[in-house]
Amino acid sequence: MLYRGLRFAARAAPRLSLYNTSSALRQLPVQFQHVRTYADKVIKVPAMAESISEGTLKQWNKAVGDFVEQDEEIATIETDKIDVAVNAPEAGIIKEFFVNEEDTVTVGQDLVRIELGGAPSGERPAAEEAKEAPKEPTPQTQPEQRTTQEPKPQETKPQETKPASQPTPVVEEAPSPKQPSKPAKAAPEAPATLGSREERRVKMNRMRLRIAERLKQSQNTAASLTTFNEVDMSALMEFRNKYKDEVLKKTGVKLGFMSAFSRACVLAMRDLPIVNASIEGPNGGDTIVYRDYVDISVAVATEKGLVTPVVRNAESMDMIGIEKAIADMGKKARDGKLTIEDMAGGTFTISNGGVFGSLMGTPIINLPQTAVLGLHAIKERPVAVNGKVEIRPMMYLALTYDHRLLDGREAVQFLIKVKEYIEDPRKMLL
């Protein structure tokens, strides 16, 4: 009997179809007809690189309540190598931030929650405020407010001066002329003439910390030694002045000196491949790795520190190809668009401190590389040419090398070959 009763009740119960649901919703008041169809999505800290597991959230590019498009940048995470951009996987409205700026974040950590889907007008307060803001201050209301505010201080001033006109306070203030004779007022003015002694403490960014760690590691690991030479830049400067306009017109590349030095180093490494090698292995290294390719790291100074993007397979490029690759990497470095792949590797480094006016210096090896070439400023100096004193544009070259792998004879021979190629660029074509 109970089973039959349940079956009868099921048959007698009205069936709620999709059509009945929509018609029932249409009969409700307007304020109750809104049905939320959006879902929330939590954006996590993206994977940055194999060797990077954490970073610092430097900046939120959006605020809570803002609408973001798909692939729009929401935040920037600073690591010890590059800046990582966090993009929205889908369009939606930002609902909640899980971390604040300058907080340390790890890969996979919850970062922000967004509501997916289109943004109804009622759920975009930031956009509404931006639209309504210019409507409130009209040109008619502003002068009215000014006129109403200006007479008010005029009315209050006489009220304030009336109690001051009483005779009693005037009599009490009479003995005040005796007080200026005190020397107390002149005492605090004396320390002001000593200058400011304020201090400002700024936390080092991750990239600067990483650079400091790498440089100190290089000094503690490599047996660094530096050899110097000087090069006459007359022939290369004449070569550049003669062909730079033609090269720029045909290829759009500005011909500089970095491509010539890079090409000269590649050719010198053919005779001395040990300069392009490195030491690898446990306990400081027990294996020499020789390479048939040359990946040149070019030192570029940025606001956050020195970075070394890599020009890969420079041995297969001509001077114009090397110059274009260096220019592209330099632009990406200054714009903060470098990736981990752009800076990974590198078998030899060229650092051009001459662009800042450095006359001479000793660069530091970029481990695990074996050597680094330092270029310096071009200065006109008197030199002996064929028994006569002439004024020539001269540049000092500095090669810092790891004496564990590279002997002094090989380092000096390498630097002399680079000097010969630069002083006669036609040799690089033979």
Side-chain angles (χ1 to χ4, degrees), residues 60-109:
W60 284 111
N61 299 329
K62 296 290 182 178
V64 175
D66 289 351
F67 177 75
V68 293
E69 300 287 348
Q70 186 176 3
D71 294 331
E72 187 175 0
E73 186 173 337
I74 299 177
T76 303
I77 298 176
E78 181 187 71
T79 68
D80 55 1
K81 295 182 179 180
I82 60 172
D83 290 345
V84 179
V86 180
N87 300 325
E90 300 180 40
I93 302 173
I94 296 179
K95 289 297 182 182
E96 182 182 2
F97 290 150
F98 295 110
V99 295
N100 299 320
E101 292 184 353
E102 301 297 334
D103 286 354
T104 299
V105 295
T106 58
V107 176
Q109 179 181 345

Side-chain angles (χ1 to χ4, degrees), residues 174-190:
S176 59
K178 299 179 180 179
Q179 298 178 357
S181 59
K182 295 181 180 180
K185 294 183 179 180
E189 294 179 359

Side-chain angles (χ1 to χ4, degrees), residues 380-384 389-392:
E380 290 188 348
R381 296 198 303 272
V383 294
V389 177
E390 296 184 8
I391 303 299
R392 294 293 184 93

Side-chain angles (χ1 to χ4, degrees), residues 33-34 57 99 173 208 245 261 298 302 306 318 337 356 371:
Q33 289 184 13
H34 176 70
L57 182 68
V99 295
E173 293 177 356
R208 175 58 63 185
D245 294 335
F261 279 99
V298 182
T302 64
L306 187 70
D318 56 10
K337 302 298 182 181
F356 305 109

Side-chain angles (χ1 to χ4, degrees), residues 156-171:
T156 55
K157 285 180 181 179
Q159 294 177 1
E160 294 175 358
T161 53
K162 285 180 181 179
S165 61
Q166 297 178 0
T168 51
V170 175
V171 177

Side-chain angles (χ1 to χ4, degrees), residues 47-335:
M48 292 172 277
E50 295 181 358
S51 59
I52 301 177
S53 59
E54 67 176 17
T56 301
L57 182 68
K58 295 302 296 182
Q59 181 181 5
W60 284 111
N61 299 329
K62 296 290 182 178
V64 175
D66 289 351
F67 177 75
V68 293
E69 300 287 348
Q70 186 176 3
D71 294 331
E72 187 175 0
E73 186 173 337
I74 299 177
T76 303
I77 298 176
E78 181 187 71
T79 68
D80 55 1
K81 295 182 179 180
I82 60 172
D83 290 345
V84 179
V86 180
N87 300 325
E90 300 180 40
I93 302 173
I94 296 179
K95 289 297 182 182
E96 182 182 2
F97 290 150
F98 295 110
V99 295
N100 299 320
E101 292 184 353
E102 301 297 334
D103 286 354
T104 299
V105 295
T106 58
V107 176
Q109 179 181 345
D110 292 345
L111 198 62
V112 58
R113 180 172 62 88
I114 64 174
E115 184 183 272
L116 303 181
S121 59
E123 296 187 5
R124 296 177 64 179
E128 288 184 355
E129 292 178 0
K131 293 180 181 179
E132 294 177 358
K135 295 181 181 179
E136 295 178 357
T138 59
Q140 297 179 356
T141 56
Q142 288 180 354
E144 290 178 1
Q145 293 177 357
R146 292 178 181 176
T147 53
T148 53
Q149 291 177 359
E150 289 178 357
K152 286 182 179 180
Q154 294 177 359
E155 295 176 359
T156 55
K157 285 180 181 179
Q159 294 177 1
E160 294 175 358
T161 53
K162 285 180 181 179
S165 61
Q166 297 178 0
T168 51
V170 175
V171 177
E172 293 177 357
E173 293 177 356
S176 59
K178 299 179 180 179
Q179 298 178 357
S181 59
K182 295 181 180 180
K185 294 183 179 180
E189 294 179 359
T193 60
L194 299 177
S196 175
R197 294 182 58 81
E198 295 182 358
E199 294 181 353
R200 293 182 302 276
R201 298 180 181 270
V202 180
K203 186 178 180 181
M204 295 173 66
N205 58 52
R206 286 180 172 269
M207 184 177 294
R208 175 58 63 185
L209 289 171
R210 180 59 175 169
I211 291 172
E213 178 184 349
R214 293 271 299 170
L215 294 178
K216 191 58 182 174
Q217 179 186 1
S218 177
Q219 288 183 333
N220 295 338
T221 303
S224 298
L225 188 63
T226 304
T227 180
F228 297 93
N229 214 316
E230 61 179 0
V231 57
D232 187 351
M233 297 291 291
S234 300
L236 184 59
M237 293 176 68
E238 181 183 356
F239 172 82
R240 177 178 178 270
N241 294 332
K242 185 176 181 180
Y243 297 108
K244 65 177 182 179
D245 294 335
E246 182 179 351
V247 171
L248 180 62
K249 182 179 180 181
K250 289 185 177 181
T251 64
V253 177
K254 293 182 179 180
L255 192 61
F257 296 139
M258 286 292 292
S259 58
F261 279 99
S262 300
R263 184 62 181 167
C265 290
V266 169
L267 295 177
M269 288 175 187
R270 293 181 180 179
D271 297 331
L272 297 165
I274 191 67
V275 179
N276 195 44
S278 63
I279 299 177
E280 296 183 4
N283 301 324
D286 56 0
T287 304
I288 301 176
V289 180
Y290 293 91
R291 302 178 177 88
D292 296 332
Y293 59 90
V294 180
D295 291 347
I296 297 180
S297 301
V298 182
V300 179
T302 64
E303 295 181 356
K304 294 184 178 180
L306 187 70
V307 294
T308 54
V310 180
V311 178
R312 305 190 187 281
N313 290 104
E315 80 287 349
S316 62
M317 299 181 183
D318 56 10
M319 290 178 58
I320 297 177
I322 295 175
E323 195 70 50
K324 186 178 185 303
I326 292 175
D328 294 341
M329 286 297 179
K331 185 178 184 303
K332 291 178 67 176
R334 289 186 292 270
D335 296 342

